[in-house]
């Protein structure tokens, strides 16, 4: 338009450049080299959030993983991770919690064994053991025993399995021209306990040793305290005996819980059979191998006659000795040994309690004898008071200023008092003799 009297100048509008985003391919202009303050603060906050360590998941606890070859590590896992790892119900983790800290349980599950013995809380599988709170002072002896015994026994099993493999020309299952090795755990079962029973044996040994040492300490403290109470019945000695009885009752309850749990397992062969985790693991491995062989529709290759006989002999030996579902002799012998040890510990506690009861009976007899002596003394003083009261009565009668001829006799006072006193003494002796005749007083 041309410039006229009614023409207006178009105002110029300066548009702000758009902020570059991560998705826009255009590059930033030179004027945008300095980012706005909000963008700087957001980037700093993101960098600080990324640099912060991640918080530990809620409910995570410290566990120690110890496998069958002696390898160990400390891990932090929550309940859901443990449940997925060992395939146990959630209620079993509650048993390992602080609510059941003084209970004793040995529970058999499909793929795991839950062990809660005193301060030892562990989940045992055929390949590893998960130990809860391994850094506690009471649990450290159990960890040391695991590190000392498990590697030794595992190496022994490996050597035994190697010798068996040499003698049997490598125990194999033939499927479709391909030899499937029998699981490694089956090799050592002929001469050693499975891994889960090794862990259970160490746990029972540590717990029984701890309880036995506690009973020994209790005995060393109990007998001097009880002897001192028998010599001197005082409030201080009675307080010591009361504390002793409280400790004894708690210790007896702890021993009784472990003993009852072992007795419950010994009474049920089915529960003991469920504790053979390695045997169930071997059976599952063989079942998977047979199913794989059936699915492939392979033809069994005919090997040398010697190898065929050796394989048959090895397989029959394995099935007869290791995979018998009703064979619980090994576990039964293991549990019986520690049951007898716990029964002996329980008998020691009961003998201490019987000694306490005998001491209490002796103290009660002493107190009863003292009460009887006090009663006899009280009866003697009552008889003497009766005789003096009679003499006082006579003296009071003659002190009433009543006219009497005896007042006019010279020197009658001394004679009269002597006669009255002698009569009262004679009355006292007569009543005392009657009480002895009736056996109210001791001789």
């Amino acid at each position: 338009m041309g410039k006229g009297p009614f023409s207006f100048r178009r105002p110029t509008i300066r548009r702000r450049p758009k902020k570059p985003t991560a998705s826009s391919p255009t590059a930033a202009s030179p004027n945008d080299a300095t980012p706005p303050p909000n963008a700087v603060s957001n980037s700093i906050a993101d960098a600080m959030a990324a640099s912060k360590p991640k918080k530990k998941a809620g409910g995570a606890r410290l566990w120690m993983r110890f496998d069958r070859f002696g390898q160990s590590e400390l891990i932090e896992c929550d309940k859901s991770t443990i449940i997925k790892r060992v395939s146990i119900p959630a209620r079993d983790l509650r048993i390992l919690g602080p609510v059941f800290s003084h209970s004793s349980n040995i529970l058999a599950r499909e793929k795991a064994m839950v062990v809660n013995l005193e301060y030892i809380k562990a989940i045992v599988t055929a390949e590893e053991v998960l130990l809860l709170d391994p850094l506690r002072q009471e649990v450290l002896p159990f960890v040391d025993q695991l590190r000392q015994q498990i590697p030794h026994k595992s190496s022994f099993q490996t050597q035994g399995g190697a010798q068996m493999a040499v003698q049997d020309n490598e125990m194999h299952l033939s499927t479709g021209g391909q030899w499937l090795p029998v699981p490694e755990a089956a090799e050592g079962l002929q001469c050693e306990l499975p891994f889960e029973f090794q862990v259970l044996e160490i746990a029972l040994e540590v717990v029984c040793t701890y309880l036995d040492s506690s009973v020994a300490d209790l005995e060393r403290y109990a007998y001097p305290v009880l002897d001192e109470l028998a010599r001197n019945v005082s409030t201080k000695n009675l307080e010591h005996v009361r504390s002793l009885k409280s400790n004894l009752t708690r210790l007896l309850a702890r021993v009784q819980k472990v003993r009852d749990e072992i007795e419950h397992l010994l009474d049920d062969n089915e529960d003991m059979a469920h504790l053979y985790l390695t045997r169930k693991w071997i059976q599952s491995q063989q079942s998977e191998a047979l199913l794989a062989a059936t699915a492939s529709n392979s033809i069994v290759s005919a090997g040398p006659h010697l190898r065929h006989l050796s394989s048959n002999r090895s397989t029959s030996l394995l099935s007869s000795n290791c995979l018998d579902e009703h064979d619980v002799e090994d576990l039964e012998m293991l549990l019986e040994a520690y049951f007898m040890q716990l029964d002996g510990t329980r008998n020691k506690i009961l003998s201490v309690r019987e000694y306490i009861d005998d001491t209490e009976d002796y103290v009660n007899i002493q107190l009863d004898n003292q009460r009887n002596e006090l009663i006899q003394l009280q009866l003697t003083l009552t008889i003497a008071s009766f005789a003096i009261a009679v003499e006082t009565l006579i003296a009071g009668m003659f002190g009433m200023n009543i006219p009497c001829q005896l007042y006019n006799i010279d020197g009658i006072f001394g004679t009269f008092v002597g006669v009255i006193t002698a009569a009262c003494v004679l009355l006292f002796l007569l009543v005392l003799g009657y009480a002895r005749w009736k056996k109210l007083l001791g001789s």
Side-chain angles (χ1 to χ4, degrees), residues 24 222 255 283 408:
S24 79
V255 174
Q283 290 176 351
N408 300 324

Short mmCIF file of all heavy atoms in Angstrom, two decimals, residues 24 222 255 283 408:
data_model
loop_
_atom_site.label_atom_id
_atom_site.label_comp_id
_atom_site.label_asym_id
_atom_site.label_seq_id
_atom_site.Cartn_x
_atom_site.Cartn_y
_atom_site.Cartn_z
N SER A 24 13.22 -32.93 18.18
CA SER A 24 13.35 -32.07 17.00
C SER A 24 14.75 -32.18 16.44
O SER A 24 15.73 -32.10 17.19
CB SER A 24 13.02 -30.62 17.37
OG SER A 24 14.09 -30.02 18.00
N ALA A 222 24.08 -74.07 89.69
CA ALA A 222 22.93 -74.47 90.50
C ALA A 222 23.34 -75.13 91.81
O ALA A 222 22.82 -74.77 92.88
CB ALA A 222 22.03 -75.42 89.69
N VAL A 255 14.92 -77.12 75.03
CA VAL A 255 15.36 -78.48 74.73
C VAL A 255 14.17 -79.35 74.36
O VAL A 255 14.23 -80.17 73.43
CB VAL A 255 16.13 -79.07 75.93
CG1 VAL A 255 16.46 -80.53 75.69
CG2 VAL A 255 17.41 -78.28 76.17
N GLN A 283 15.47 -87.97 40.75
CA GLN A 283 14.33 -88.56 40.07
C GLN A 283 13.76 -87.62 39.02
O GLN A 283 13.38 -88.06 37.92
CB GLN A 283 13.26 -88.94 41.10
CG GLN A 283 13.65 -90.11 41.99
CD GLN A 283 12.60 -90.39 43.05
OE1 GLN A 283 11.66 -89.61 43.22
NE2 GLN A 283 12.76 -91.50 43.76
N ASN A 408 -3.39 -61.20 161.92
CA ASN A 408 -2.97 -61.04 163.32
C ASN A 408 -1.84 -61.97 163.72
O ASN A 408 -1.36 -61.87 164.85
CB ASN A 408 -4.18 -61.26 164.25
CG ASN A 408 -5.30 -60.26 163.95
OD1 ASN A 408 -5.03 -59.10 163.60
ND2 ASN A 408 -6.54 -60.70 164.09
#
